[in-house]
Amino acid sequence: MTDAAAGHDDAERTWCLAEVDIFCDLSEREMEAIATAAPMKTYHAGEILYSPTQPSEVLFILKKGRVRVFRVSADGRALTTAIISPGTIFGEMVLLGQHMYDNYAEALDDTVVCVMSRADVHRLLLADARIAARITAILGRRLADLEQRLSDSVFKTVAQRVATTLTTLTSAQPPASPLRPVGRHPQIALTHEQVAALAGTSRETCTKVLRDYADHGLLRLARGRITVLDPERLKDAAG
């Protein structure tokens, strides 16, 4: 392999970890060690990254795309436990003291992740006090988010859950760059079926709710895309 090719491979590996919060103050050598141990992998929208029938003791570092983590009840209903955005971690959290045996992870978009083995998680992440503390904080926030989702599933109406889902997805979007301005209205690239899955309802019911919000001027609907026209009113509708 030429020096140029080797340099390109190193850059590709390190690229996967750039902008990941838990690695924000690592040296170049530390970043290279982690990048070498965490090769990149791509998944297409709709693909399952892990499931109870395909357990894997690995940690995923999400670089691109969004991932939905969910559970399925005995009667077949799915409960979304987390929506993972780029720049954070997820996976078989038994490595980190949380059990994820009953969970599925599904790519909502075409997704790029770095995958780290159990041994490397302990060697490179948990052994570093800075990274271990940040991982603990992430898991704490995710547990609080799960508790809120469980509460919403019991006490909120379907319309409120749909509004909550859209508000959460909107707030998770990165701010627009001044060098690359975008439209003033945030857009969510999901189908009605995907939104329904996130909100814990049927596609038909979700479509009815979305059309009602669109009729009241909160949203604009297009194929595979939802434009939020009035974030404040949508937030109020979420309860």
Side-chain angles (χ1 to χ4, degrees):
M1 180 183 294
T2 65
D3 290 343
H8 176 73
D9 287 347
D10 290 342
E12 282 289 299
R13 287 198 299 266
T14 306
W15 168 84
C16 190
L17 304 179
E19 302 176 11
V20 177
D21 288 346
I22 62 174
F23 304 132
C24 63
D25 57 358
L26 299 190
S27 69
E28 185 175 345
R29 177 177 293 182
E30 290 171 321
M31 285 283 284
E32 288 176 354
I34 294 173
T36 300
M40 287 189 295
K41 189 171 183 179
T42 60
Y43 292 87
H44 295 299
E47 279 194 86
I48 298 295
L49 283 70
Y50 65 80
S51 71
T53 58
Q54 298 173 315
S56 56
E57 287 201 343
V58 297
L59 187 72
F60 295 95
I61 304 166
L62 181 59
K63 175 59 186 179
K64 177 184 176 184
R66 296 164 300 172
V67 171
R68 168 197 179 207
V69 179
F70 66 97
R71 298 174 183 172
V72 178
S73 66
D75 62 2
R77 291 185 301 118
L79 171 67
T80 298
T81 60
I83 301 172
I84 311 297
S85 299
T88 189
I89 60 172
F90 66 100
E92 186 42 77
M93 294 303 182
V94 69
L95 298 172
L96 310 172
Q98 287 193 351
H99 294 276
M100 300 278 282
Y101 294 133
D102 297 330
N103 283 261
Y104 297 77
E106 175 193 18
L108 291 176
D109 316 292
D110 288 346
T111 296
V112 178
V113 294
C114 295
V115 185
M116 185 172 285
S117 70
R118 178 190 185 97
D120 286 329
V121 167
H122 284 281
R123 178 172 64 91
L124 296 169
L125 303 189
L126 299 185
D128 187 312
R130 298 167 297 173
I131 299 176
R134 290 166 192 156
I135 289 174
T136 298
I138 288 172
L139 297 182
R141 290 195 299 270
R142 202 158 291 161
L143 181 60
D145 184 52
L146 170 58
E147 290 174 347
Q148 183 61 55
R149 288 179 181 278
L150 290 171
S151 176
D152 288 351
S153 70
V154 174
F155 297 111
K156 285 192 174 184
T157 66
V158 172
Q160 287 176 318
R161 295 204 304 272
V162 170
T164 298
T165 297
L166 297 178
T167 298
T168 299
L169 291 168
T170 300
S171 63
Q173 292 182 358
S177 166
L179 300 178
R180 191 179 179 186
V182 298
R184 60 189 181 91
H185 297 305
Q187 292 187 332
I188 299 167
L190 290 176
T191 65
H192 292 193
E193 186 172 358
Q194 288 174 314
V195 175
L198 295 174
T201 187
S202 68
R203 183 190 61 76
E204 292 79 6
T205 300
C206 181
T207 295
K208 183 177 182 298
V209 170
L210 290 173
R211 286 175 177 166
D212 185 57
Y213 284 146
D215 289 343
H216 285 82
L218 279 69
L219 309 173
R220 182 168 61 242
L221 304 178
R223 187 176 181 84
R225 188 170 300 276
I226 300 167
T227 302
V228 179
L229 302 177
D230 196 331
E232 289 304 316
R233 286 174 62 201
L234 186 66
K235 186 175 181 180
D236 290 342

